[in-house]
Amino acid sequence: MTTVLKLGGSLITEKERAETLDGAALDAAANAVAAAVGDGTDLALVHGAGSFGHHYAEKHGVTVEEGTADAGAALEIHGSMTTLNRFVLSRLHDRGVGALPVHPLSAGARDAGATLDLSLSSARTMLGEGVVPVSHGDVIAHEGQGTTVVSGDEIVVDWATGLNADRVGLCSTVDGVYDGAGDVIDRIDDFDSVADALNGSDATDVTGGMAGKVRTLLGLDAPAFVFGCDDLSAFLAGDRVGTRID
Amino acid sequence: MTTVLKLGGSLITEKERAETLDGAALDAAANAVAAAVGDGTDLALVHGAGSFGHHYAEKHGVTVEEGTADAGAALEIHGSMTTLNRFVLSRLHDRGVGALPVHPLSAGARDAGATLDLSLSSARTMLGEGVVPVSHGDVIAHEGQGTTVVSGDEIVVDWATGLNADRVGLCSTVDGVYDGAGDVIDRIDDFDSVADALNGSDATDVTGGMAGKVRTLLGLDAPAFVFGCDDLSAFLAGDRVGTRID
């Protein structure tokens, strides 16, 4: 039973202040993860960028589509993400969770058509050895573009497919996918039925808003759940939480 | 014209003192690399562990063959290598060389037969974008062993083959491969003819001595050169230096 879990960047960092951790939120998430791993869950973890990577990506004007030929800019963005990644690893190790980093910049690239080629060898072998691979949004070499951003959500989708995940969880600061009236939608199995409600949320994140997330998650074999931090332990225990997308 | 260059760990660090850079040696190497990249050489760089990785690998008893199931030990070894890697990157960026890290722990793994599966996607794409990929000896997930050491020399061999290198250089604190009388051998094209002379050097390095290096380099398509730091600029300019192995 393999679970791919993403901890949103807005959850584990203070998004308004550059390179500032939300230590209490990260501690709470690490507690839930440690309990689940202790109970035998094979977990692959991805975290977002929050006020670490986004700050530098905006500074240098780099997005999923707009690249930079400046390796110094790319290294600054990457460096802020590895810093955040080490905080996450450290909180897990403090709780006895064996976890190791998987940095997308080292693990793959995009071709000229922007298709991601990410090696799963490290994450898959770590999982088999009882180690939690911990990846994140990053910059990545991109044929013809220098480097572009790769979002944590893209890593989640790649891992969910390539690691044959049984369940996918996106834990963030929202309790699920909201409908037009602001209520959490229980289940989404078809994009068109929720397209109108989601339209307004598309501009909230440079790496692609809720509409894009839902569309991508609908394409996965595994069921995906979008939920808030209060539901993390329940999700890891196998419960149905937030919005189920499949 | 692609060149894979390894800077030996004993060259760029003070091997007797834990986590101590040989700043002058690294500066000199970075100057030579910057000049060559400025002249249009497509360069892929690998560095050894020296007093960074080796110190922690010995502390935890981890080698190429002896693994550890302790992710904390692996992370300590890996962390010391990423620290050294950032020093190398920083010296290159200071000289206007666009360079980005490729960490083996993220890029691949070993299977149960200890065969290395390393993604070349990141390094290949960086090279195509005019960026110098900079890799290093590291720990790597290993099926059935937890994590083991992957040596810088293994990365060199993998990259030389996978990146279709035209030339391979191993720059270290020795001026070449020495014969029994202590003189640099001009050329080696057959292992048996130098086996006696090399036998005594096998115990000098946990990641595999000069005899192992020579044997492996003989298997490459590209000519390989083993030389000292004084010959680095000449090597990068295309000259024949030290011992030629092919």
Side-chain angles (χ1 to χ4, degrees), chain A residues 103 106 109 117 121-122 125 129 144 146, chain B residues 103 106 109 117 121-122 125 129 144 146:
Chain A
H103 303 303
S106 296
D117 169 28
S121 179
S122 55
T125 308
E129 296 303 301
Chain B
H103 303 303
S106 296
D117 169 28
S121 179
S122 55
T125 308
E129 296 302 300

Side-chain angles (χ1 to χ4, degrees), chain B residues 12-13 21 47-49 52 79-88:
Chain B
I12 62 170
T13 75
L21 208 61
H47 61 80
F52 285 74
S80 76
M81 287 309 300
T82 58
T83 299
L84 177 56
N85 184 253
R86 291 307 159 94
F87 280 128
V88 175

Side-chain angles (χ1 to χ4, degrees), chain B residues 3-144:
Chain B
T3 300
V4 173
L5 171 67
K6 184 187 170 202
L7 299 175
S10 59
L11 176 70
I12 62 170
T13 75
E14 302 272 3
K15 210 157 180 175
E16 302 308 315
R17 293 171 57 196
E19 296 199 290
T20 307
L21 208 61
D22 185 336
L26 180 55
D27 278 340
N31 286 339
V33 165
V37 171
D39 287 342
T41 302
D42 286 329
L43 192 69
L45 201 62
V46 178
H47 61 80
S51 58
F52 285 74
H54 280 308
H55 173 76
Y56 293 103
E58 280 166 23
K59 172 181 165 188
H60 296 294
V62 184
T63 68
V64 170
E65 283 161 0
E66 288 296 316
T68 178
D70 178 356
L75 189 58
E76 195 170 57
I77 301 166
H78 176 69
S80 76
M81 287 309 300
T82 58
T83 299
L84 177 56
N85 184 253
R86 291 307 159 94
F87 280 128
V88 175
L89 288 169
S90 165
R91 303 288 169 120
L92 293 174
H93 279 261
D94 286 348
R95 288 160 177 79
V97 177
L100 289 171
V102 177
H103 303 303
L105 177 61
S106 296
R110 289 191 205 276
D111 66 17
T115 300
L116 195 60
D117 169 28
L118 202 68
S119 171
L120 292 165
S121 179
S122 55
R124 189 183 293 126
T125 308
M126 287 175 193
L127 273 175
E129 296 302 300
V131 170
V132 178
V134 185
S135 195
H136 52 83
D138 201 353
V139 284
I140 197 157
H142 186 150
E143 190 181 343

Side-chain angles (χ1 to χ4, degrees), chain A residues 55-68 73 77 149:
Chain A
H55 174 76
Y56 292 103
E58 280 166 23
K59 172 181 165 189
H60 295 294
V62 184
T63 69
V64 170
E65 284 161 358
E66 288 296 314
T68 179
I77 301 166
V149 167

Side-chain angles (χ1 to χ4, degrees), chain B residues 221-235:
Chain B
D221 285 337
F225 299 83
V226 175
F227 55 89
C229 55
D230 291 345
D231 284 330
L232 178 54
S233 291
F235 167 76

Side-chain angles (χ1 to χ4, degrees), chain A residues 10 13 16 25 35 43-44 49 61 69 83 86 105 109 111 130 133 153 160 164 167 201 217 221 230 237 242:
Chain A
S10 59
T13 75
E16 303 308 314
L43 191 69
T83 300
R86 291 307 158 93
L105 177 61
D111 67 16
D153 289 345
N164 296 314
R167 300 174 91 222
S201 70
L217 295 172
D221 284 339
D230 291 345

Side-chain angles (χ1 to χ4, degrees), chain A:
Chain A
M1 174 85 174
T2 299
T3 300
V4 173
L5 171 66
K6 184 187 170 203
L7 299 175
S10 59
L11 176 70
I12 62 170
T13 75
E14 303 272 2
K15 209 158 180 175
E16 303 308 314
R17 293 170 55 197
E19 296 199 289
T20 307
L21 208 61
D22 185 336
L26 179 55
D27 278 340
N31 286 339
V33 165
V37 171
D39 287 343
T41 301
D42 287 330
L43 191 69
L45 200 62
V46 178
H47 61 80
S51 58
F52 286 73
H54 280 307
H55 174 76
Y56 292 103
E58 280 166 23
K59 172 181 165 189
H60 295 294
V62 184
T63 69
V64 170
E65 284 161 358
E66 288 296 314
T68 179
D70 178 356
L75 189 58
E76 196 170 56
I77 301 166
H78 176 68
S80 76
M81 288 310 300
T82 59
T83 300
L84 177 56
N85 184 253
R86 291 307 158 93
F87 280 127
V88 175
L89 289 168
S90 165
R91 303 289 169 118
L92 293 174
H93 279 261
D94 287 348
R95 288 160 178 81
V97 177
L100 289 171
V102 177
H103 303 303
L105 177 61
S106 296
R110 290 191 205 275
D111 67 16
T115 300
L116 195 60
D117 169 28
L118 203 68
S119 171
L120 292 165
S121 179
S122 55
R124 188 183 294 126
T125 308
M126 287 176 193
L127 273 174
E129 296 303 301
V131 170
V132 177
V134 186
S135 195
H136 52 82
D138 201 354
V139 284
I140 197 158
H142 187 150
E143 190 181 343
Q145 291 262 19
T147 59
T148 49
V149 167
V150 57
S151 72
D153 289 345
E154 285 178 279
I155 308 296
V156 166
V157 168
D158 213 77
W159 278 17
T161 304
L163 302 175
N164 296 314
D166 300 287
R167 300 174 91 222
V168 174
L170 278 77
C171 179
S172 74
T173 48
V174 297
D175 293 329
V177 181
Y178 298 116
D179 64 18
D183 295 319
V184 170
I185 302 170
D186 184 57
R187 181 167 184 179
I188 300 174
D189 57 8
D190 166 58
F191 187 77
D192 290 341
S193 65
V194 293
D196 286 348
L198 296 180
N199 219 18
S201 70
D202 242 5
T204 55
D205 187 330
V206 291
T207 56
M210 189 60 86
K213 276 195 224 296
V214 168
R215 199 186 280 275
T216 308
L217 295 172
L218 277 169
L220 294 178
D221 284 339
F225 299 83
V226 175
F227 55 90
C229 55
D230 291 345
D231 283 331
L232 178 55
S233 291
F235 167 76
L236 289 169
D239 293 351
R240 179 173 169 171
V241 294
T243 301
R244 175 181 171 128
I245 302 172
D246 68 347

